[in-house]
Amino acid sequence: MEKIRAVYPGSFDPVTLGHVDLIIRGARIFDELIVAVGDNPRKKALFSMTERVSFIRDAVSGLKNVRVTPFSTLLVDFARQEGAHVILKGLRAVSDFDYELQMSLINRRMAGWLETIFMMPSEEFSFVSSSLIKEIASHGGDVASMVTPAVDRALKKTPSRAKRIKSRRKPK
Ligand code: PNS
């Protein structure tokens, strides 16, 4: 039987335990899971691409069918190039739905062969987002229960960087 390869895309700035939870769930369902780290043009990243990729690699090193790679093309082109027919996305709450529906339908318009599948992270992480993590860390708050130890250390080293980045966030 043909192997099912899925792409889990995101900006992962930084990866949270909610993302890791979804990667673990995805790795159980799909034969191969590619975590694709991209830049969201609507957000100014706090961490470099190299840092974001390395945080995820560090977190999922025990999962043999998971690969982490940066991408800078259209997601549909990346999926085609990787031979993946599935996009995996996380849905935390109804508030995610509008944006995710729009993205999945526009990707379908561009690539009808690509199916988007949504999975819910554990309710333990349903309120966790990278933006809130950065906001809390920029004020010196404790995010250790919501991120990996490496991300926690990096955020502790960079609260002033988080603050600087926040103040020059791109206008909507
Ligand atoms: O975690 P995010 O910030 O929601 O991730 C967004 C990301 C990187 C997955 C999205 O911006 C993306 O797919 N970028 C690649 C360009 C693309 O294909 N955009 C969708 C059609 S406009």
Side-chain angles (χ1 to χ4, degrees), residues 77-113:
D77 290 338
F78 176 78
R80 183 184 293 110
Q81 176 199 312
E82 293 288 341
H85 290 84
V86 175
I87 300 286
L88 171 65
K89 294 298 297 263
L91 265 191
R92 286 165 301 190
V94 178
S95 50
D96 284 340
F97 185 74
D98 276 352
Y99 172 72
E100 294 300 345
L101 178 70
Q102 191 181 14
M103 292 295 267
S104 68
L105 292 180
I106 210 150
N107 284 334
R108 180 181 284 168
R109 177 63 61 92
M110 291 188 285
W113 47 269

Side-chain angles (χ1 to χ4, degrees), residues 9-11 38-41 43 71 73-75 99 103 106-107 110:
S11 43
D39 284 315
N40 185 332
K43 302 175 192 163
F71 80 107
T73 58
L74 275 177
L75 179 57
Y99 172 72
M103 292 295 267
I106 210 150
N107 284 334
M110 291 188 285

Side-chain angles (χ1 to χ4, degrees), residues 110-128:
M110 291 188 285
W113 47 269
L114 191 58
E115 206 60 61
T116 302
I117 291 187
F118 294 99
M119 289 177 78
M120 270 75 73
S122 160
E123 66 275 14
E124 195 188 338
F125 303 116
S126 58
F127 55 89
V128 174

Side-chain angles (χ1 to χ4, degrees), residues 13-172:
D13 182 45
V15 68
T16 69
L17 292 186
H19 294 130
V20 174
D21 178 86
L22 212 82
I23 295 171
I24 294 169
R25 287 170 198 281
R28 282 194 209 124
I29 302 269
F30 301 109
D31 297 301
E32 277 179 53
L33 184 65
I34 304 167
V35 182
V37 186
D39 284 315
N40 185 332
R42 290 166 219 84
K43 302 175 192 163
K44 173 88 190 118
L46 172 62
F47 291 104
S48 70
M49 176 63 83
T50 311
E51 287 171 309
R52 285 180 276 152
V53 167
S54 125
F55 290 145
I56 309 172
R57 283 198 179 135
D58 182 51
V60 304
S61 59
L63 301 171
K64 296 301 164 225
N65 59 339
V66 175
R67 177 153 54 89
V68 186
T69 174
F71 80 107
S72 54
T73 58
L74 275 177
L75 179 57
V76 295
D77 290 338
F78 176 78
R80 183 184 293 110
Q81 176 199 312
E82 293 288 341
H85 290 84
V86 175
I87 300 286
L88 171 65
K89 294 298 297 263
L91 265 191
R92 286 165 301 190
V94 178
S95 50
D96 284 340
F97 185 74
D98 276 352
Y99 172 72
E100 294 300 345
L101 178 70
Q102 191 181 14
M103 292 295 267
S104 68
L105 292 180
I106 210 150
N107 284 334
R108 180 181 284 168
R109 177 63 61 92
M110 291 188 285
W113 47 269
L114 191 58
E115 206 60 61
T116 302
I117 291 187
F118 294 99
M119 289 177 78
M120 270 75 73
S122 160
E123 66 275 14
E124 195 188 338
F125 303 116
S126 58
F127 55 89
V128 174
S129 74
S130 300
S131 333
L132 287 181
I133 295 284
K134 284 181 284 191
E135 182 163 345
I136 297 167
S138 76
H139 293 287
D142 181 12
V143 294
S145 65
M146 296 176 268
V147 294
T148 64
V151 169
D152 188 38
R153 279 195 300 276
L155 283 168
K156 280 202 173 98
K157 267 193 236 153
T158 58
S160 52
R161 176 156 75 136
K163 233 175 204 159
R164 274 207 313 278
I165 296 281
K166 228 173 64 182
S167 65
R168 59 180 156 86
R169 190 174 283 162
K170 284 183 186 170
K172 284 210 167 149

